[in-house]
């Protein structure tokens, strides 16, 4: 395994296209990128090696804000049904950062004053969701159905208490966190994480795939996340991928609807 890895890395050095402006660690994250950087054969060799062992799940990282219409659409219409379809397969892992296009200013007290794109209510929603993440141990499978419940509601902030309580979480603790310095500090950390993105985020939802953002990956994630997952997973494709990799368009849409 190590010899094969070294072999692939050596090929990457030999065949790297000088015009490729993508970091070498991302060359084999998709066929399109491998072709662009002139390392398709080398990456194909590596994918073959990976498929013989236990491949890593495809990592999806979502940077969003609570009242953003585009974020809510992606969460409810694409990310949630995809997660429902593939959560038992092990080919996907995900995380969320509630902050988005907010801005912050530190007060003399040391606390942070936040200004959110869709007004003060969005800041409240972001704070609740940051506290929710903490009090569910940052376990995606635990907090994501609750965030889906909120974002799929007509008013995510008004729905928060019921969504959290119905999921068996302690609303009083999370609400208290959102209203005091604990939530303030958690949202500041999400802000620092968002501001540290490379490349810098320009809009939300902002999606990273295996730690990388490109306009191509963003477009594929927003329009056909199941297919992207199946294409990028380096191991043996689960049965669930069959519907999405060579689908009839109507059947694919029905498949996602069935898992909402």
């Amino acid at each position: 395994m190590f010899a094969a890895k070294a072999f692939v890395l050596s090929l990457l050095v030999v065949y790297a296209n000088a015009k490729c402006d993508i970091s070498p660690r991302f060359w084999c994250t998709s066929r399109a990128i491998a072709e662009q950087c002139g390392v398709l054969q080398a990456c194909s060799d590596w994918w073959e090696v990976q498929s013989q062992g236990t491949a890593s799940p495809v990592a999806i990282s979502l940077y969003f804000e609570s009242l953003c219409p585009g974020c809510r659409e992606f969460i409810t219409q694409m990310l949630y049904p995809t997660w429902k379809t593939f959560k038992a397969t092990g080919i996907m892992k995900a995380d969320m950062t509630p902050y988005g296009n907010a801005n912050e200013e530190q007060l003399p007290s040391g606390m942070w004053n936040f200004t959110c794109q869709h007004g003060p209510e969005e800041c409240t929603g972001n704070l609740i969701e940051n506290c929710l993440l903490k009090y569910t141990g940052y376990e995606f499978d635990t907090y994501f159905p609750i965030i889906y419940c909120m974002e799929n509601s007509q008013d995510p902030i008004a729905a928060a208490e019921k969504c959290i309580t119905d999921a068996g979480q302690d609303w009083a603790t999370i609400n208290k966190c959102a209203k005091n310095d604990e939530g303030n500090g958690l949202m500041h950390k999400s802000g620092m994480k968002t501001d540290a993105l490379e490349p810098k985020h320009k809009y939300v939802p902002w999606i990273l795939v295996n730690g990388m953002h490109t306009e191509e990956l963003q477009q594929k994630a927003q329009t056909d996340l199941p297919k992207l997952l199946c294409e990028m997973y380096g191991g043996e494709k689960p049965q669930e991928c069959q519907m999405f990799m060579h689908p009839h368009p109507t059947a694919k849409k029905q498949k996602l609807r069935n898992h909402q």
Side-chain angles (χ1 to χ4, degrees), residues 12-27:
L12 290 174
V13 173
V14 173
Y15 292 112
N17 188 328
K19 295 182 180 179
C20 178
D21 58 359
I22 297 174
S23 172
R25 65 194 179 100
F26 296 126
W27 286 343

Side-chain angles (χ1 to χ4, degrees), residues 97-115:
T97 302
Y99 188 82
N101 295 326
N103 291 293
E104 64 179 10
E105 179 184 7
Q106 191 165 27
L107 303 173
S109 64
M111 297 278 282
W112 296 90
N113 180 56
F114 300 105
T115 304

Side-chain angles (χ1 to χ4, degrees), residues 22-250:
I22 297 174
S23 172
R25 65 194 179 100
F26 296 126
W27 286 343
C28 292
T29 54
S30 76
R31 183 180 180 87
I33 293 172
E35 289 178 341
Q36 178 183 339
C37 295
V39 293
L40 180 58
Q41 183 57 55
C43 287
S44 295
D45 292 341
W46 175 240
W47 293 329
E48 183 176 353
V49 171
Q50 287 289 86
S51 67
Q52 296 171 2
T54 302
S56 299
V58 179
I60 305 297
S61 297
L62 174 62
Y63 290 77
F64 75 107
E65 53 197 25
S66 63
L67 296 186
C68 158
C71 301
R72 297 178 67 187
E73 180 179 3
F74 177 70
I75 289 168
T76 59
Q77 301 301 313
M78 187 60 67
L79 185 57
Y80 183 77
T82 301
W83 170 74
K84 290 278 284 185
T85 300
F86 290 99
K87 68 176 181 176
T89 68
I91 75 167
M92 171 186 169
K93 66 177 182 179
D95 62 86
M96 306 176 76
T97 302
Y99 188 82
N101 295 326
N103 291 293
E104 64 179 10
E105 179 184 7
Q106 191 165 27
L107 303 173
S109 64
M111 297 278 282
W112 296 90
N113 180 56
F114 300 105
T115 304
C116 295
Q117 183 175 9
H118 298 94
E121 283 199 347
E122 181 165 79
C123 287
T124 298
N126 289 350
L127 286 162
I128 291 170
E129 289 173 340
N130 272 286
C131 289
L132 172 65
L133 264 61
K134 176 183 177 180
Y135 282 96
T136 53
Y138 296 95
E139 292 289 337
F140 183 81
D141 287 356
T142 304
Y143 69 71
F144 183 48
I146 303 173
I147 290 182
Y148 166 77
C149 176
M150 291 173 60
E151 299 299 335
N152 197 44
S153 302
Q154 184 174 355
D155 183 339
I157 289 84
E161 180 175 0
K162 186 175 190 305
C163 290
I164 289 170
T165 302
D166 286 353
Q169 301 296 321
D170 186 359
W171 164 249
T173 298
I174 292 170
N175 188 41
K176 180 180 178 182
C177 165
K179 292 180 177 180
N180 64 23
D181 56 354
E182 181 181 21
N184 190 271
L186 291 171
M187 189 157 157
H188 170 60
K189 288 181 180 178
S190 287
M192 290 194 297
K193 183 179 177 183
T194 302
D195 290 343
L197 284 167
E198 185 59 45
K200 298 292 186 183
H201 92 284
K202 301 175 183 177
Y203 49 79
V204 286
W206 188 261
I207 304 163
L208 273 62
V209 182
N210 287 340
M212 179 175 66
H213 177 93
T214 67
E215 289 302 314
E216 179 186 4
L217 288 173
Q218 176 85 22
Q219 178 68 14
K220 287 184 175 182
Q222 286 195 261
T223 58
D224 201 340
L225 183 58
K227 184 178 180 182
L228 179 63
L229 280 176
C230 292
E231 288 178 341
M232 295 192 67
Y233 182 62
E236 182 179 352
K237 312 298 183 188
Q239 182 178 355
E240 287 81 355
C241 283
Q242 294 178 11
M243 177 66 70
F244 299 101
M245 295 189 75
H246 307 287
H248 183 283
T250 303

